Amino acid sequence: MACRIVVLLSGRGSNLDAILQQVHQPTDVPARVVGVISNRPAAAGLERAAAAGVPAECVDHRAHPDRPTFERQLAATIDRLQPDLLVLAGFMRILTPTFVTRYSPALLNIHPSLLPDFRGLDTHARALAAGHAVHGTSVHVVVPELDAGPVIAQAQVPVLEEDDPERLAARVQRAEHLLYPQVLRWYAAGRLQLRPDSVRLDGALLPPRGHRFRLSATETGLED
Ligand code: GRF
């Protein structure tokens, strides 16, 4: 049976697009995106989902009086879709420990830095300010502590002399659009064992920063 994936997002949805093209649509990948949920009604990702024929709905956080009420509605919407895996792709609400522990460790996020470097926001500006020569993105298991769960895989990108945060962000996103689908294909193939404190790939414990890739020079693929 195909792995049932539900994607949560808040905005553009370029990672959703990559997942739809590289995981959902190929018939040889045993996974399907069975629903996309946004907390913002105007999220472009909702249209991307609908265009691909995937059920898309909004649970607007502003329509709920507090975070627990919002999360109860969100969880009810998710559970109707009966996911095997919940995927955060640019979901910009902090989730409470109650919500996280309900789904973790089958709850993944993509974060635009080489964790544990630069948890939180403004990662590209912070990588530039720190003078890092290498930056990148991480896919990790979500745990109650923000951006602190075990890392499954990272993709490194070079930081170039002429970079500003926007240029660097665009290069990191090109890596994200390859990395997230790769991790989801591993999961769908039964190759990942997720736990709140560790991850195994093909039975072998992954190191703290996960499996390491780098973006190829042509930026069209990942290399070990
Ligand atoms: C990505 O850069 C991801 O790392 C971060 O949010 C961004 C979402 O972009 N968590 P998009 O909506 O998928 O284009």
Side-chain angles (χ1 to χ4, degrees):
M1 267 235 305
C3 171
R4 297 173 63 84
I5 296 173
V6 168
V7 177
L8 302 192
L9 50 73
S10 302
R12 203 157 58 112
S14 69
N15 277 283
L16 169 68
D17 222 21
I19 292 165
L20 290 171
Q21 286 177 28
Q22 298 172 52
V23 180
H24 175 75
Q25 278 154 2
T27 48
D28 59 341
V29 180
R32 294 295 166 261
V33 178
V34 295
V36 171
I37 305 169
S38 169
N39 66 305
R40 292 208 183 109
L46 287 173
E47 284 162 36
R48 289 184 197 259
V54 172
E57 51 189 308
C58 178
V59 179
D60 188 347
H61 64 280
R62 287 164 309 183
H64 296 82
D66 52 38
R67 205 178 287 271
T69 316
F70 161 66
E71 287 188 349
R72 273 198 296 279
Q73 183 60 38
L74 183 61
T77 308
I78 292 165
D79 292 349
R80 271 200 299 278
L81 296 162
Q82 300 186 305
D84 300 306
L85 186 68
L86 192 55
V87 166
L88 308 183
F91 185 71
M92 300 306 287
R93 299 297 293 170
I94 303 268
L95 295 166
T96 64
T98 306
F99 183 94
V100 169
T101 47
R102 181 183 181 118
Y103 297 103
S104 189
L107 173 59
L108 306 185
N109 183 43
I110 190 158
H111 179 78
S113 78
L114 299 173
L115 290 169
D117 295 346
F118 311 122
R119 293 176 181 169
L121 298 174
D122 298 326
T123 57
H124 311 302
R126 287 158 65 203
L128 287 170
H132 285 201
V134 175
H135 183 43
T137 181
S138 308
V139 175
H140 64 94
V141 175
V142 178
V143 296
E145 191 185 342
L146 188 68
D147 300 329
V151 175
I152 301 168
Q154 296 188 329
Q156 300 181 338
V157 307
V159 179
L160 305 181
E161 194 77 45
E162 62 274 20
D163 274 345
D164 56 21
E166 289 70 34
R167 285 183 57 125
L168 184 53
R171 191 174 311 117
V172 168
Q173 279 231 314
R174 288 193 282 280
E176 292 190 333
H177 299 160
L178 298 163
L179 186 70
Y180 222 169
Q182 172 65 70
V183 168
L184 298 183
R185 288 194 302 262
W186 282 343
Y187 189 84
R191 297 178 59 187
L192 282 176
Q193 289 86 49
L194 306 179
R195 287 178 33 155
D197 58 351
S198 64
V199 175
R200 287 175 186 271
L201 174 62
D202 297 330
L205 202 58
L206 284 170
R209 284 172 177 253
H211 187 91
R212 308 293 285 278
F213 293 104
R214 49 168 200 255
L215 187 62
S216 68
T218 56
E219 300 192 352
T220 56
L222 296 176
E223 297 168 346
D224 279 322

